[in-house]
Amino acid sequence: MDNFEYVSAPHRVVFGRGTLQELPSMLEKIKAKAVLVLCTPQQISTAEAVKAIIGDAGVSIFSEATMHTPTHITEKAMLAAKDKGVDGIVSVGGGSTVGLGKALSIRTGLPHLCIPTTYAGSEMTPILGETENGRKVTRRDPRILPTAVLYDVDLFKTLSVDMTVYSGINAIAHAVEALYATNKNPIIDLLACEGIRTLCSALPLLQADGNDPAARHQALYGAWLCGMCLGAVDMALHHKLCHTLGGMFNLPHAETHVVLLPHALAYNASAPAAAGAMAKLAAALPDSAGDPVRGINALYQRLGIRLSLQGLGMPETGVDEACDVAIANPYKNPRALEREGIRELIRRAWAGETAKAKL
C-alpha cells in the first residue's frame, strides 16, 4: 500500500431527526451567546423558526445570501454583524447561505454553526468560492471550515424533488473527484464509494416519494460522506469548471454540477493515472457494467435528468470564453488540460448531449 496522509476535520457534527432542538446547547459549546442568523430571501421562515429556538441569543436575521457568494453581499453582512455586536454566526440553508457564513467567519473570526437544508456538502469543507466582477475565486484554508454542523433530516421534508436530485448529484460529484485526486487516500476512497452508493440508492426513492423518511435519512448521510471527501482532498477539472462557469455566467450552482459531471468524468476516464479510481467508481455505480461513464449516464436516465448549460442561460459564445479561462488557470487533474478536449467537453455540456468517454 502506498504512503498517504489523512487529516481529520476538527469540528462537531450532530446528525439525526429532530436535532434542531439541540441548537441552544450547540451554541453553548461554541461559546456563542449573540448570533446573526443567515439565510436566503426564500428561507426567511426557516430562519425565523431557528431564531425562535435560539431565543434571546438570536439577535438578528440577515436574509440576503446569494449564490456564488458575491463579495458585496458579504460586506453588507459584515456591517450587520458589527452593528448588532454578535459573537457568532448561524447559517441555515444550502450552499449560498453556508458560503456567506464561511466568508463572514473567515473575515471576522466569529464561530460559525451550519444548519444545511440541501445536499450540497459545503458545510464539510474548508473551501470558499467568492465572486467579484464576474470572476469566481476559490481558496482553501482550515479556518474556513465551519465550527459545527447540525444535520436535521426533518428540515429536508420540503426540499423539492428537482432540488433533491440536483443537490444529490452535486454531492456525488464531490466523491467522484475525490477518488482520482492527486492527494487521495484509502480512507477517503471508502467514504467516497459509500457516499456514492448511498445517494444512488436514495435519490430514485425520493424522486418517487419526497416524503420517504428512510430515504431522506439515507440521502443526508450519503451527502455528509461526500462533503467530507470534498473537504479532505484536492478537487480537479469538474469543480474548477463549475466555479468558472458559475462565476462568469451566474449559473445555478447545483444544476451546473449536474450538467458538467458526466462530461468531466468522460474527459478523465481514459487517463492512466485515474484507472484505479475509475474501477472503484464503476463498482459503486449501479448499471455501470464496469464503465463509470455508462454508470453516470444510466443514473441520469433513471432520474430523468435532461439539462444543458444552454438551458441554464449560458450563451453559445461562452463555450470559448470558458475554455480560455479554464486553460489559463492550470491545476492538478489526472489528465492534462488539452484545449481541444476541454472545449469539446464544454460544448457537449452546453448542447445537452450525452457524455461519451472519448474527447
Side-chain angles (χ1 to χ4, degrees), residues 317-341:
T317 55
V319 173
D320 285 305
E321 293 177 39
C323 182
D324 290 340
V325 174
I327 296 297
N329 294 280
Y331 40 82
K332 297 175 182 177
N333 191 65
R335 176 180 166 184
L337 303 183
E338 303 160 4
R339 180 178 179 81
E340 182 178 349

Side-chain angles (χ1 to χ4, degrees), residues 231-250:
V233 296
D234 295 334
M235 293 292 102
L237 177 63
H238 168 79
H239 282 79
K240 299 297 184 180
L241 283 179
C242 287
H243 287 153
T244 296
L245 293 168
M248 290 178 69
F249 307 109
N250 200 35

Side-chain angles (χ1 to χ4, degrees), residues 83-101:
D83 180 61
K84 300 297 182 179
V86 302
D87 62 5
I89 305 160
V90 172
S91 61
V92 54
S96 298
T97 308
V98 174
L100 176 59

Side-chain angles (χ1 to χ4, degrees), residues 70-246:
T71 54
H72 72 278
I73 296 295
T74 301
E75 290 166 2
K76 288 185 68 174
M78 287 181 65
L79 290 175
K82 183 178 180 181
D83 180 61
K84 300 297 182 179
V86 302
D87 62 5
I89 305 160
V90 172
S91 61
V92 54
S96 298
T97 308
V98 174
L100 176 59
K102 289 178 171 182
L104 192 55
S105 178
I106 191 65
R107 285 167 169 79
T108 62
L110 295 173
H112 176 201
L113 190 155
C114 289
I115 307 173
T117 61
T118 72
Y119 304 123
S122 176
E123 68 280 353
M124 282 290 127
T125 78
I127 302 167
L128 173 61
E130 298 180 283
T131 305
E132 187 171 11
N133 298 324
R135 289 291 183 271
K136 190 168 185 177
V137 178
T138 303
R139 57 175 164 150
R140 181 186 288 260
D141 188 316
R143 297 172 299 164
I144 292 172
L145 186 72
T147 314
V149 178
L150 188 154
Y151 287 116
D152 190 332
V153 178
D154 292 337
L155 289 177
F156 291 76
K157 290 179 179 178
T158 58
L159 188 64
S160 71
V161 171
D162 281 349
M163 188 48 62
T164 293
V165 170
Y166 298 156
S167 66
I169 296 293
N170 183 4
I172 288 174
H174 306 332
V176 168
E177 288 219 311
L179 285 171
Y180 54 67
T182 54
N183 57 344
K184 64 185 178 67
N185 64 72
I187 308 302
I188 293 303
D189 284 359
L190 291 171
L191 295 178
C193 291
E194 175 69 3
I196 292 168
R197 279 192 294 265
T198 302
L199 279 162
C200 285
S201 173
L203 291 180
L205 296 175
L206 289 172
Q207 190 175 59
D209 179 7
N211 293 318
D212 184 333
R216 283 289 179 196
H217 193 284
Q218 188 179 22
L220 187 55
Y221 169 68
W224 175 16
L225 298 184
C226 292
M228 291 175 66
C229 296
L230 177 64
V233 296
D234 295 334
M235 293 292 102
L237 177 63
H238 168 79
H239 282 79
K240 299 297 184 180
L241 283 179
C242 287
H243 287 153
T244 296
L245 293 168

Side-chain angles (χ1 to χ4, degrees), residues 10-27:
H11 62 171
R12 180 185 301 274
V13 177
V14 171
F15 183 100
R17 298 187 62 185
T19 53
L20 197 58
Q21 300 305 316
E22 299 183 34
L23 183 53
S25 64
M26 290 188 71
L27 289 176

Side-chain angles (χ1 to χ4, degrees), residues 259 263 306-310 347-354:
V259 175
H263 300 284
R306 297 180 181 86
L307 292 177
S308 67
L309 295 178
Q310 180 184 18
R347 186 203 65 76
R348 289 181 181 179
W350 180 85
E353 297 177 6
T354 300

